[in-house]
Amino acid sequence: MRLVVQILISAWLAAMVTAVPGLAAEPSAPEATAKRVLTPEEKAEKEARKACKVKICDILTTADAAGDDVACDIVKTWREEDITKMLGGKVDWPYGKAVCQSKLEIERAPLARAMSEKAQEVALKSQTVRCTLQQKGKGEPYVVEVALAPKVRFEHGKAVQASINWGNVSAPMGIYPLIYAGTGLDNQANILGPEVVKLVNEFTTKKCAGVNAELSSATR
């Protein structure tokens, strides 16, 4: 159940981080990377996520509140073999690949102030994540939609508290009760909040450092 919820938020998180905890967005080992051949669709998805990361990292690095807000169309395909590997044989994955998409929208000014002021909360307006889960046999794919309105509190440029704030859920009856229960539990207990804090801090430091280094070398 937790894996399904993680995959649902991956479209939103993919612009901010490389992966949801426990899920690898891209193979990390050199041999895995060498063997993987991205489809044209996956290449386009990766480039779009990269462009979005550049926008966000620019705001975080400069702390400049003047300029355009962030608005990115994010798509992330999770291959069936990747999901199966992530589960480590502990849970059967009953579907094929999962394709998640969302429009990531972040106001620039609060994000910039989060890097320069003593304390700042970044509250995103409600956003919808839409995931299509392919069936292994015949039949139409399952389509799942979940609304979320994340909040992250920063102190001295570091995330210290976060919540996802799940909203309406739309899903086939076969999986709706599981997703509804999982998102409801997280709203009550904020189970994923600490993981979001960890990932946001990783992004603002290591990930943005990598993005900035890559941009710097490209301009030489």
Side-chain angles (χ1 to χ4, degrees):
M1 170 53 219
R2 182 167 179 158
L3 178 67
V4 175
V5 174
Q6 288 176 322
I7 289 175
L8 285 171
I9 64 174
S10 68
W12 177 74
L13 288 175
M16 300 290 289
V17 296
T18 302
V20 181
L23 300 182
E26 314 291 348
S28 55
E31 61 272 22
T33 303
K35 294 179 181 179
R36 171 157 306 222
V37 177
L38 298 179
T39 66
E41 292 78 13
E42 289 172 333
K43 289 180 181 178
E45 293 173 10
K46 185 176 180 179
E47 286 303 310
R49 294 196 302 271
K50 179 180 177 181
C52 196
K53 290 179 183 179
V54 169
K55 291 180 182 179
I56 298 172
C57 287
D58 178 66
I59 299 173
L60 295 173
T61 302
T62 64
D64 186 358
D68 296 333
D69 294 334
V70 175
C72 306
D73 292 316
I74 303 300
V75 181
K76 172 62 186 175
T77 296
W78 301 95
R79 296 186 184 185
E80 179 184 349
E81 58 266 31
D82 293 333
I83 299 173
T84 301
K85 185 176 180 179
M86 295 167 201
L87 290 171
K90 297 178 181 179
V91 181
D92 289 332
W93 176 248
Y95 312 107
K97 69 178 181 180
V99 181
C100 296
Q101 61 188 73
S102 179
K103 186 175 183 66
L104 176 67
E105 297 181 295
I106 309 175
E107 292 184 358
R108 183 187 185 100
L111 188 59
R113 289 196 296 267
M115 296 295 102
S116 60
E117 296 186 359
K118 181 178 179 180
Q120 174 70 36
E121 181 178 78
V122 178
L124 279 65
K125 64 181 181 180
S126 182
Q127 312 189 24
T128 299
V129 175
R130 184 179 191 270
C131 287
T132 301
L133 310 179
Q134 297 288 339
Q135 294 196 56
K136 290 184 178 180
K138 295 181 179 180
E140 293 296 319
Y142 286 131
V143 177
V144 179
E145 291 188 354
V146 180
L148 58 160
K151 291 183 180 180
V152 181
R153 179 173 176 77
F154 292 83
E155 292 182 2
H156 303 289
K158 183 178 180 180
V160 295
Q161 187 177 10
S163 59
I164 294 177
N165 303 312
W166 301 93
N168 293 333
V169 175
S170 174
M173 286 306 299
I175 58 177
Y176 175 85
L178 294 176
I179 297 174
Y180 182 81
T183 56
L185 176 62
D186 189 55
N187 279 342
Q188 292 180 355
N190 197 26
I191 297 171
L192 295 176
E195 296 181 351
V196 174
V197 168
K198 178 181 177 181
L199 288 166
V200 169
N201 285 329
E202 180 182 352
F203 180 83
T204 59
T205 54
K206 296 180 181 179
K207 302 300 180 183
C208 277
V211 169
N212 293 336
E214 184 177 350
L215 289 176
S216 178
S217 62
T219 57
R220 291 175 185 173

